[in-house]
Amino acid sequence: MLYILALLIGVVAGLRAMTAPAAVAWGACLGWLPVAGTWAGFMGHWITVGIFTILAVVELVTDQLPSTPSRKVPQQFGARIVIGAFTGAVIGATGGATIGGLIAGAIGAVIGTLGGAELRKRLAIAFGKDLPAALIEDAVAIIGGLLIVAAVA
């Protein structure tokens, strides 16, 4: 079950890179993710929550700008894989399966990045503009991230 949740948080990282660690940090801070005593214990600190939450909000705002680079460019794609692997590893750490969570999170990030880019492109064509597609993607990432973290509890 942890591997599936790690894969899914990786998908969220592929959709919205900073939403995944923000959701994981909130889950750890609220006690939903039992990371205390593991290498990921810092995720439950309020400073970590604040940093990732600010970064997630900044990403949500800047992603609506026309100058935002494609998530498929190597730097964006690589960053999403690293963040997916990290958040998957944090979820895996709750059950002593850090490496498995890391791998599942990275795979999920690839799926979320490639699938999310294609879905967003199709939604933008259907709506005639990108903003509604971006808002749908934002909602799916935020709600999905929180549900995944709550499922670990």
Side-chain angles (χ1 to χ4, degrees), residues 34-98:
V35 294
T38 70
W39 65 269
F42 71 96
M43 289 298 284
H45 197 278
W46 64 271
I47 292 175
T48 307
V49 171
I51 290 169
F52 281 127
T53 300
I54 289 168
L55 290 173
V57 170
V58 167
E59 180 185 30
L60 290 174
V61 171
T62 59
D63 190 57
Q64 316 310 320
L65 303 174
S67 61
T68 303
S70 167
R71 69 183 76 196
K72 291 184 181 179
V73 298
Q75 297 86 351
Q76 292 271 346
F77 192 52
R80 289 172 189 272
I81 293 170
V82 168
I83 292 168
F86 168 71
T87 54
V90 172
I91 288 182
T94 65
T98 300

Side-chain angles (χ1 to χ4, degrees), residues 14-17 59-72 76 80 111-139 141:
L15 294 173
R16 285 282 171 264
E59 180 185 30
L60 290 174
V61 171
T62 59
D63 190 57
Q64 316 310 320
L65 303 174
S67 61
T68 303
S70 167
R71 69 183 76 196
K72 291 184 181 179
Q76 292 271 346
R80 289 172 189 272
I111 293 167
T113 300
L114 298 178
E118 185 61 31
L119 179 63
R120 182 167 172 173
K121 182 173 78 175
R122 289 177 188 222
L123 285 172
I125 290 169
F127 287 117
K129 53 186 167 181
D130 190 49
L131 184 59
L135 294 175
I136 290 169
E137 189 178 42
D138 294 345

